[in-house]
Amino acid sequence: MSTLVNYIEPVKFKSFEVASKRNKSYEMSSFVETKGLEQLTNSPMEFVEYNKKQLSRIYPKGTRVDSSNYMPQLFWNAGCQLVALNFQSLDLPMQLNLGIFEYNRRSGYLLKPEFMRRQDKPFDPFTEDIVDGIVANTVKVKIISGQFLSDKRVGIYVEVDMFGLPVDTKRKFRTRASQGNSFNPVWDEEPFVFHKVVLPTLASLRIAVFEEGGKFVGHRILPVSAIRSGYHYICLRSESNQPLCLPALLVYTEAYDYIPDDHQNYAEALINPIKHVSLLDQRAKQLAALMGESEECAEKPRESLGRSRSDASSSPPEEACRPPPALLSPTRTPSVAPSQVQRDDLIASILSEVSPQSVEELRQHKAFVKLLKKQYRELKELRRKHMKKICSLNKKQNAQLSQVERSRQRSREGSPRGSLGSMDAVRQGQGQELQEWQMQGLLQLREAQHQLERDCKQEHLHQAQQRLREIARDCQTAQLKKLKEIGEK
């Protein structure tokens, strides 16, 4: 039957190395959920690379006699194309599956994100850092009120969950229960904040309504990449993702680019530059007033000292020609403050145009990222060669073990019964020596691999430091050039 299929040929999965060596995109392998979790746990990045070239199918394990489901989001994060579920169970995994594939006009197909399709972009589904080229989001959800939720006099509450990467998945937000008003309850509480959503294209927001006893009322699955800021009237769906006629929620959402806490001041300055400039001017005036007072206090002792010396040394006509010190202080102190204010304004304007780059910004440079990818490939190739050596050593050891076993069987068949005990003792000693030799070989191989990886990592660290220094020097040269241009202007 398999030869009749034109597009996909099912094959048994052996390893990612074998699949990469065969490199046949029309071959598809099926994984039971336990086998898929094992591959995802041990080799997450290799699993993602495998799904860039071939199809993979995940299906529930046979021990799920109650037809329960696993969370499909785990395998969507690795790029698995066919994640099979038990459709007879409308539990949370099934609701998430129906809600996700509601979009793209319910065609049943969703395009994977670009970084999960490109060959030059490695991706770790367990990452906690921002992915290169992907802008993380901050999402705020405020539940305001509900309409036509229930005709019973029970308490109603709303749960807000986020599903995506392990670092993005959060299931802890819940409103208080309404006090007996289930028809049109009003909550108007503080918004629920998902501070950092690393991959918005893989994340989904679930808003579910329950009665106080835990009875399901309705829910809605929304992709984070499609959320827009503003007020929304969300119609709820049933467990089978069918639209409910009247139940709905009024919510307010905000979705914007994630800004680290260290860069909040820069972001506020870019959002409201007038306020930022006025704040700088206010600080400059305060510093100018403080420095002006200190200059005035420093001039007064000098003038009094000068008058005492002139009384002792100079003649009366010279003292009459000199202007009184009271006339000098009003003209000298105002000349200090304006120059200081202009100087502070100039410094503030230059710093606003030429800002220093942090180490994190230097790490995002294209040359540094390219070096990290190259180092990752080198380390991966080194480990691949080590696994190849281990496989060849295991084959050699297994061949020797089988040879010893065969010789033992032949000797047992051709020897009298009395000498069997002594021969068994000799063979047992040989077997122990062979096992010790095998263990020593594996240990030596592992020690050699450990030393190679250590040297390789030290060399990579040295290269990364050298590349960061070069990038920093280039950035400094560009900033000095810009400062020179500003100075010429």
Side-chain angles (χ1 to χ4, degrees):
M1 292 296 292
S2 300
T3 58
L4 299 177
V5 180
N6 296 327
Y7 303 108
I8 301 298
E9 179 183 349
V11 296
K12 185 177 180 180
F13 178 79
K14 295 181 180 179
S15 66
F16 294 122
E17 290 78 8
V18 173
S20 178
K21 188 178 295 184
R22 289 177 62 85
N23 195 19
K24 294 182 179 181
S25 58
Y26 58 84
E27 293 183 348
M28 183 187 74
S29 298
S30 297
F31 303 83
V32 68
E33 60 172 299
T34 53
K35 183 68 174 179
L37 284 174
E38 180 184 354
Q39 299 295 336
L40 182 61
T41 305
N42 297 333
S43 307
M45 301 185 70
E46 287 79 4
F47 206 4
V48 175
E49 293 296 325
Y50 171 84
N51 288 321
K52 289 180 181 179
K53 301 177 182 178
Q54 296 180 227
L55 295 178
S56 62
R57 169 179 168 266
I58 313 296
Y59 59 92
K61 58 184 178 181
T63 55
R64 292 185 179 271
V65 293
D66 56 347
S67 296
S68 59
N69 288 308
Y70 55 89
M71 287 300 295
Q73 188 70 48
L74 298 172
F75 301 103
W76 292 339
N77 295 339
C80 297
Q81 293 85 0
L82 305 174
V83 183
L85 299 175
N86 293 315
F87 270 61
Q88 62 269 30
S89 298
L90 297 176
D91 49 6
L92 178 59
M94 192 64 210
Q95 294 173 13
L96 183 63
N97 180 77
L98 294 174
I100 288 295
F101 287 95
E102 177 188 359
Y103 298 95
N104 195 17
R105 299 181 180 181
R106 296 190 178 183
S107 62
Y109 296 94
L110 293 177
L111 184 65
K112 290 197 294 187
E114 183 184 8
F115 60 89
M116 299 183 74
R117 292 181 278 121
R118 292 180 54 177
Q119 300 293 334
D120 59 338
K121 280 185 175 278
F123 171 65
D124 184 6
F126 294 98
T127 183
E128 296 184 359
D129 300 325
I130 296 177
V131 181
D132 183 24
I134 305 298
V135 179
N137 282 6
T138 298
V139 180
K140 295 182 180 180
V141 181
K142 182 178 182 180
I143 308 298
I144 300 176
S145 64
Q147 291 79 36
F148 308 104
L149 297 182
S150 178
D151 55 354
K152 303 176 184 178
R153 294 182 60 86
V154 294
I156 297 288
Y157 64 90
V158 181
E159 290 184 354
V160 180
D161 304 326
M162 180 77 71
F163 298 93
L165 294 182
V167 69
D168 295 339
T169 301
K170 293 179 177 61
R171 303 181 60 184
K172 61 179 180 179
F173 295 120
R174 171 179 168 176
T175 64
R176 57 176 175 80
S178 62
Q179 301 298 324
N181 181 10
S182 60
F183 186 72
N184 54 352
V186 177
W187 292 280
D188 201 15
E189 298 178 358
E190 291 296 321
F192 304 136
V193 182
F194 300 92
H195 186 60
K196 181 182 177 181
V197 183
V198 175
L199 281 181
T201 53
L202 281 179
S204 302
L205 185 72
R206 180 177 184 258
I207 302 176
V209 182
F210 296 90
E211 292 182 1
E212 211 165 14
K215 182 181 177 182
F216 179 84
V217 176
H219 77 119
R220 192 67 183 270
I221 306 292
L222 303 171
V224 173
S225 57
I227 295 178
R228 298 294 179 265
S229 300
Y231 292 91
H232 303 279
Y233 193 73
I234 300 177
C235 298
L236 300 181
R237 302 292 176 91
S238 64
E239 291 179 339
S240 59
N241 205 45
Q242 297 300 317
L244 300 176
C245 295
L246 297 177
L249 290 175
L250 178 63
V251 301
Y252 175 78
T253 60
E254 287 184 19
Y256 50 88
D257 295 344
Y258 165 74
I259 301 173
D261 296 333
D262 300 334
H263 299 161
Q264 285 290 343
N265 295 332
Y266 303 113
E268 293 176 359
L270 291 174
I271 293 172
N272 194 349
I274 297 177
K275 179 181 178 181
H276 183 67
V277 172
S278 62
L279 181 62
L280 290 178
D281 293 340
Q282 182 181 358
R283 292 175 182 172
K285 289 179 182 179
Q286 292 175 354
L287 289 174
L290 180 63
M291 296 182 69
E293 291 176 2
S294 62
E295 286 286 337
E296 185 176 357
C297 294
E299 287 295 332
K300 286 182 179 179
R302 292 179 186 175
E303 291 173 358
S304 60
L305 182 62
R307 286 200 302 270
S308 62
R309 289 181 179 177
S310 62
D311 290 340
S313 60
S314 62
S315 60
E318 292 175 354
E319 185 177 0
C321 296
R322 182 183 302 166
L327 298 176
L328 291 174
S329 58
T331 58
R332 183 171 296 179
T333 53
S335 62
V336 175
S339 61
Q340 187 66 30
V341 172
Q342 293 176 359
R343 180 171 173 268
D344 293 338
D345 290 343
L346 180 60
I347 293 174
S349 63
I350 292 174
L351 290 178
S352 63
E353 293 183 7
V354 182
S355 59
Q357 290 186 337
S358 63
V359 179
E360 293 298 327
E361 292 175 346
L362 294 177
R363 287 177 180 272
Q364 299 297 327
H365 197 271
K366 186 176 180 180
F368 187 75
V369 173
K370 186 176 180 181
L371 177 63
L372 291 182
K373 291 179 181 178
K374 179 183 176 183
Q375 292 176 352
Y376 169 76
R377 289 194 297 268
E378 291 178 356
L379 195 59
K380 184 177 178 181
E381 181 66 19
L382 187 64
R383 291 172 179 171
R384 189 187 65 80
K385 291 180 180 179
H386 174 63
M387 293 302 297
K388 190 174 180 181
K389 291 179 182 178
I390 289 179
C391 291
S392 62
L393 182 61
N394 285 333
K395 289 180 181 179
K396 183 178 179 181
Q397 292 174 352
N398 291 333
Q400 292 181 352
L401 278 174
S402 60
Q403 184 179 359
V404 170
E405 187 65 26
R406 286 195 300 269
S407 62
R408 180 187 301 179
Q409 292 293 334
R410 286 195 299 268
S411 61
R412 287 175 66 90
E413 293 174 356
S415 60
R417 294 183 179 181
S419 61
L420 287 178
S422 60
M423 292 181 63
D424 289 340
V426 172
R427 297 297 182 186
Q428 188 176 2
Q430 291 179 355
Q432 290 180 355
E433 292 179 359
L434 186 60
Q435 289 179 358
E436 291 179 358
W437 174 75
Q438 290 176 349
M439 291 297 297
Q440 288 295 329
L442 289 174
L443 286 175
Q444 291 176 1
L445 195 62
R446 183 56 190 163
E447 289 176 357
Q449 175 66 15
H450 177 70
Q451 186 65 30
L452 284 175
E453 288 188 6
R454 183 179 178 182
D455 298 341
C456 184
K457 289 180 180 179
Q458 288 181 353
E459 181 65 23
H460 287 174
L461 182 61
H462 178 70
Q463 293 176 1
Q465 291 176 350
Q466 187 68 22
R467 185 62 56 86
L468 273 180
R469 291 193 190 99
E470 295 175 358
I471 295 172
R473 291 193 193 99
D474 295 340
C475 293
Q476 184 184 20
T477 304
Q479 289 176 352
L480 290 175
K481 184 178 179 181
K482 192 171 183 180
L483 284 174
K484 185 177 179 181
E485 293 176 355
I486 294 173
E488 291 176 355
K489 291 180 182 179

